[in-house]
Amino acid sequence: MHRLKKIFATDSYVVPLVAILLGFLVGAVVMLIGGYDPIAAYSALFKRVFGSPYDFGEAIREMTPLMFTGLAVAFAFRSGMFNIGADGQVLIGMTAATLVGIKLAGLPMFLLVPLAVIAAGLAGGLWAGIAGYLKAKRGINEVITTIMLNWIALYLSNYIVRNFLLLKGQNRSEDIPASLSMTFLNGVFDNARVHWGTAIAICAAIFFYVYLWKTKQGYEMRAVGLNPNAAEYAGMNVGRNVVKAMFISGAFAGLAGAGEVLGVFHYQSVFAASPGYGFNGIAVALLGLTHPLGVILAAILYGMLTYGAAGMSFGADVPPELIRIVIGSIIFFIAAQGIVRWVLKPFYLKRKKEKVS
Amino acid sequence: MSAAAPVVELKQITKRFPGIVANDSISLTLKKGEIHALLGENGAGKSTLMNIVFGLYQPDEGSIEIDGKPVIIDSPNKAIELGIGMVHQHFKLVEPFTVTENIVLGMEPKKGLKIDYKSAAEQVRKLSEQYGLQVDPNARIHDISVGMQQRVEIMKTLYRGADILIFDEPTAVLTPQEITELMAIMKRLVAEGKSIILITHKLKEIMQISDRVTIIRRGKVIDTVETSGTNPNELAEKMVGRGVTFKVDKQVPHVGDSVLKLTNVNSKSKDGVPVLNGLSFEVKAGEILGIAGVDGNGQSELIQAITGLRKIDSGSIKVSGQEIANLSPRKISELNVSHIPEDRHKHGLVLDFTVSENMVLETYYMSPYNQGGFLKMDVIDRHAEDLIKQFDVRTPSIETKARSLSGGNQQKAIIAREIDKNPILLIAAQPTRGLDVGAIEFVQKQLIAQRDQGKAVLLISFELDEIMNVSDRIAVIYEGQIVGEVFPQDTNDQELGLMMAGSLKRGGNAGA
């Protein structure tokens, strides 16, 4: 209880909250300028998300990959790196899950599904590990290598699907027998595509927290992230930590891929372009202040906004793209904390005066 | 200009930051043509005050007058316009540019669209002659000495028309000879009608050069005195708030067996330039060996080689007879070698870790802090509590980030951590850099206490006074070589200065 109080006594939660409000406000102003009714738009948005069990379930589906990629970016960030390649790692994870899910279909389900999920995490991790290795051994900036690896991942996945997994006559893989769907919830959510990936994502967030703040290896990783010079001086192996951190980050992203193919689509498409999970993950990580709990909450918000945006166009005739302005502004206000603190200044002054008197 | 009005008058300046009053109603007058020293411990509020004068901060209360007229200085540009110039402790120069290019940067004389370097160089040469600075306008910054670079900084302010010069810890990086030259330059500047504020905590320099001293402690002016009417002891007492002994008390050393022995160590930089050049020396148990030298003569590389952060090409480094050359930092640390690093922010601490986390930076993986891969936070916290008490580290709590501690307390935290490892060899690189008199006394006493317990102590310092006072034996390093080994009682500043400049050899490798 005391701990909880401490969390809410600091202003670390105030800034994001105010940033979110300001973001909605900016969106409203833009709508007004465009001649739309912001109140109708926002209520349509929330109606869409909470209006029916099906939509609510689908909103959860929308949030799940964002949780994973948000965690992936946040984890790398805590270890001093910027993983822009979560997108490629998602694709590689997807492909690994599809490959295992289809090619090992003879195995019993209780073996096949975990194997496919593990393969996805492993493959995503190894893919990100390439960037980690190049940074540790050759000093190449991970921003560059992860971006480059995104393209390689896109074409490599498409190649694998086309050549080994293709459903004849279609631009997608065969159906995957392995499934992460929570079919027992079909009644509750009206057949919305909810799946176990969401639960795995929550577990990943818990792992993130425990590993980074409670274990020896996490301590090392944070030290390397915050000050590699001091870490090296204290006898830590900086290079090994860089590779390990990238591996874990990539594994999170890879699991997002497993959730999508095993839980949502049950096949893998040949992608014309990058699906963009990883880039949204950067936004989610920033929004969540790179803390696992924050990332989960940010993914929920982000997923709700993206999913609800469709409701805006149906319910209030507002173009759904406007929600991008809201999201963009929220991130802007979080990044530019100075502005938020400036907005809050009168409140703080008042509080201080009250304390004095 | 009326003769009576002071050049700068600060009236009742108050500046508050959340939680502290950095400047509490500070008043200070700078008379025309005087050198006014500003003396105070770290965190006393000197920098805040000077940042207010230079327009980086706005005072919450109080006013500033220049030449008797009230002014509002809301940016450094405004400060420059008012004739205020600052010579920073860390130079702000573009290394590959020439002296002239650096000086005119931002205020280049133009000829049409082109920069008129010829007339710029001419102007620089004139300034240099007027103040006896002897700077070559066409030399590149990376080719000239640190002392020369500082003169370029001085000329930058003069070129911008400064009449009031603020020197922030100007002697921290200079050799004794360069310090003497700087003093002459400051005298010349004053003679030419400039006025100087000198920020420093070196009492010797204040006594030598300043006309008046203002001492501040915890944001308040304690006193302003005429230098001629005071002495170092009185100043130190006013600055720290209690009596300070300058003479380091120590007994005769009981020297034991060899602990650290370097023989003919060679190492090259990335560009293939030799940085350690057949370096040899030895430190025995129960003695403090001081390495004297000018910054950049291989001291950093020497420490890196001993602590495992740098590979050596040839030679041998032995700790208690065991070869440690090219071992990993962790292996060396496990042989009971402790190291107080030269740059505490870069190497000594993870600034965004808590004090508690920083206290186990090298031991976190060992029992009892680590059990089965999980850190025992309660044990780590208790350990930190103990060290904080034992070494009097002033911190609001062990959960405070190391970043928010003052420099002296950060250093105390590092020393606590390193001494707690109960080392056989303690390497202290610039352990008192940037610390105030009180903290310096603490650090030096700790080093001597370690030596009295029979540990070998290797002290690397650019401060000659420290080397002379603390060491039992002195080795002088010059261009990656030991060029002299002397006992402090048989030598003096001049002789050491000459050795540090490479123009005298004594003892040295031959004798070792």
Side-chain angles (χ1 to χ4, degrees), chain B residues 407-418:
Chain B
N409 281 305
Q410 289 175 341
Q411 191 70 343
K412 277 185 184 174
I414 294 174
I415 289 171
R417 183 181 73 206
E418 298 302 324

Side-chain angles (χ1 to χ4, degrees), chain A residues 213-214 222, chain B residues 356-357 375-382:
Chain A
W213 278 282
K214 301 286 168 207
R222 283 185 298 129
Chain B
S356 184
E357 285 173 316
L375 294 180
K376 288 278 168 203
M377 283 302 174
D378 46 339
V379 182
I380 292 173
D381 287 349
R382 226 175 309 132

Side-chain angles (χ1 to χ4, degrees), chain A:
Chain A
M1 196 58 220
H2 177 71
R3 258 254 162 84
L4 207 69
K5 238 183 187 165
K6 219 165 83 185
I7 292 171
F8 284 99
T10 59
D11 67 346
S12 61
Y13 78 102
V14 176
V15 171
L17 273 186
V18 174
I20 290 165
L21 282 178
L22 287 176
F24 276 109
L25 218 63
V26 169
V29 170
V30 174
M31 286 182 213
L32 280 175
I33 294 169
Y36 302 106
D37 178 358
I39 295 173
Y42 285 136
S43 55
L45 186 151
F46 286 105
K47 216 188 227 156
R48 161 86 176 195
V49 176
F50 297 105
S52 74
Y54 173 80
D55 282 322
F56 190 61
E58 281 293 303
I60 293 175
R61 176 201 49 81
E62 185 86 36
M63 297 162 192
T64 307
L66 296 173
M67 292 180 184
F68 278 121
T69 52
L71 289 174
V73 176
F75 193 89
F77 196 80
R78 288 278 174 184
S79 317
M81 279 170 295
F82 204 8
N83 178 7
I84 307 208
D87 220 42
Q89 294 140 25
V90 172
L91 283 173
I92 290 295
M94 247 184 210
T95 313
T98 311
L99 207 60
V100 171
I102 293 174
K103 293 295 176 194
L104 300 180
L107 289 172
M109 277 303 157
F110 72 89
L111 270 180
L112 179 64
V113 177
L115 262 178
V117 173
I118 290 167
L122 216 58
L126 290 174
W127 195 255
I130 299 174
Y133 176 82
L134 288 172
K135 185 186 174 80
K137 287 288 159 202
R138 299 263 169 254
I140 305 171
N141 191 318
E142 76 283 0
V143 172
I144 294 163
T145 48
T146 50
I147 289 182
M148 290 163 85
L149 282 166
N150 276 345
W151 294 99
I152 304 175
L154 176 65
Y155 293 116
L156 181 65
S157 310
N158 284 349
Y159 173 83
I160 291 172
V161 172
R162 275 207 197 95
N163 287 282
F164 304 108
L165 307 166
L166 202 67
L167 183 67
K168 277 220 166 62
Q170 301 259 7
N171 221 8
R172 69 170 179 92
S173 74
E174 298 167 36
D175 284 338
I176 307 165
S179 166
L180 273 177
S181 294
M182 289 170 150
T183 40
F184 59 96
L185 289 177
N186 277 354
V188 182
F189 286 116
D190 205 6
N191 292 325
R193 293 167 292 173
V194 289
H195 58 86
W196 283 103
T198 319
I200 300 175
I202 306 279
C203 293
I206 295 169
F207 168 80
F208 184 135
Y209 179 79
V210 173
Y211 183 81
L212 217 48
W213 278 282
K214 301 286 168 207
T215 73
K216 180 199 96 177
Q217 297 190 14
Y219 175 92
E220 260 184 35
M221 230 169 247
R222 283 185 298 129
V224 168
L226 291 168
N227 187 348
N229 292 310
E232 189 188 5
Y233 145 83
M236 300 174 193
N237 186 332
V238 174
R240 194 165 62 202
N241 274 293
V242 163
V243 178
K244 208 156 58 176
M246 278 311 269
F247 176 84
I248 294 173
S249 167
F252 286 151
L255 290 172
E260 291 306 281
V261 289
L262 303 180
V264 181
F265 298 107
H266 301 291
Y267 62 81
Q268 183 171 343
S269 318
V270 173
F271 291 98
S274 220
Y277 300 112
F279 298 106
N280 293 334
I282 297 171
V284 169
L286 287 176
L287 199 55
L289 302 175
T290 65
H291 189 280
L293 178 65
V295 168
I296 295 294
L297 294 176
I300 290 173
L301 174 76
Y302 200 105
M304 264 168 38
L305 293 181
T306 336
Y307 187 75
M312 284 196 342
S313 58
F314 285 124
D317 207 21
V318 175
E321 285 77 14
L322 262 172
I323 211 66
R324 295 270 150 197
I325 294 178
V326 175
I327 294 172
S329 321
I330 294 175
I331 292 165
F332 170 79
F333 286 119
I334 290 212
Q337 293 202 356
I339 297 177
V340 175
R341 287 184 202 282
W342 179 72
V343 169
L344 287 174
K345 217 173 174 181
F347 297 98
Y348 278 122
L349 280 180
K350 214 169 131 196
R351 205 201 279 175
K352 221 193 254 169
K353 268 182 198 147
E354 274 163 11
K355 255 187 208 159
V356 171
S357 58

Side-chain angles (χ1 to χ4, degrees), chain B residues 211-474:
Chain B
D211 300 309
R212 290 194 300 154
V213 193
T214 294
I215 306 110
I216 52 180
R217 185 167 84 224
R218 294 197 185 145
K220 286 197 182 117
V221 172
I222 298 302
D223 204 356
T224 298
V225 292
E226 299 280 335
T227 312
S228 51
T230 187
N231 59 60
N233 282 324
E234 188 192 10
L235 288 177
E237 208 171 312
K238 284 186 166 140
M239 166 165 72
V240 186
R242 61 182 162 83
V244 174
T245 50
F246 282 102
K247 273 289 148 228
V248 183
D249 284 326
K250 54 176 191 181
Q251 315 294 318
V252 183
H254 299 284
V255 181
D257 295 337
S258 165
V259 174
L260 174 71
K261 190 170 169 62
L262 278 79
T263 325
N264 207 10
V265 172
N266 287 290
S267 181
K268 288 194 176 74
S269 74
K270 261 188 203 149
D271 319 319
V273 183
V275 282
L276 298 179
N277 213 344
L279 189 126
S280 306
F281 66 83
E282 185 177 27
V283 193
K284 294 189 174 122
E287 74 163 349
I288 299 178
L289 175 70
I291 303 266
V294 180
D295 191 3
N297 274 289
Q299 291 96 328
S300 307
E301 291 82 1
L302 168 64
I303 301 161
Q304 288 163 359
I306 304 173
T307 52
L309 291 165
R310 164 179 286 274
K311 297 262 174 281
I312 63 168
D313 301 321
S314 65
S316 132
I317 307 174
K318 282 185 175 153
V319 170
S320 305
Q322 191 182 341
E323 183 64 47
I324 61 154
N326 299 338
L327 286 185
S328 74
R330 173 149 301 168
K331 287 254 170 57
I332 294 169
S333 158
E334 283 172 352
L335 287 169
N336 275 330
V337 176
S338 273
H339 170 202
I340 300 163
E342 167 176 31
D343 185 335
R344 55 180 165 265
H345 290 171
K346 194 173 171 197
H347 292 112
L349 296 164
V350 178
L351 288 174
D352 289 310
F353 267 13
T354 63
V355 172
S356 184
E357 285 173 316
N358 268 301
M359 287 298 191
V360 292
L361 205 59
E362 292 144 303
T363 46
Y364 64 96
Y365 63 95
M366 294 192 229
S367 170
Y369 310 122
N370 168 30
Q371 262 177 16
F374 284 88
L375 294 180
K376 288 278 168 203
M377 283 302 174
D378 46 339
V379 182
I380 292 173
D381 287 349
R382 226 175 309 132
H383 169 73
E385 298 273 11
D386 285 350
L387 288 186
I388 283 170
K389 243 179 252 148
Q390 201 183 328
F391 288 87
D392 188 32
V393 182
R394 308 258 171 88
T395 169
S397 89
I398 51 164
E399 297 298 325
T400 306
K401 297 232 162 106
R403 185 182 294 284
S404 28
L405 265 56
S406 72
N409 281 305
Q410 289 175 341
Q411 191 70 343
K412 277 185 184 174
I414 294 174
I415 289 171
R417 183 181 73 206
E418 298 302 324
I419 289 181
D420 181 60
K421 278 167 67 189
N422 194 19
I424 52 168
L425 169 66
L426 177 64
I427 302 164
Q430 298 269 54
T432 58
R433 183 192 234 175
L435 301 187
D436 52 66
V437 178
I440 288 175
E441 194 187 18
F442 173 87
V443 171
Q444 295 181 342
K445 275 192 178 147
Q446 290 295 332
L447 294 182
I448 291 165
Q450 287 300 303
R451 160 260 214 189
D452 288 343
Q453 288 174 34
K455 320 263 166 86
V457 178
L458 176 64
L459 169 71
I460 292 120
S461 178
F462 305 147
E463 305 286 346
L464 264 192
D465 288 347
E466 178 162 273
I467 294 277
M468 290 290 271
N469 281 333
V470 180
S471 319
D472 299 314
R473 205 151 53 83
I474 299 172

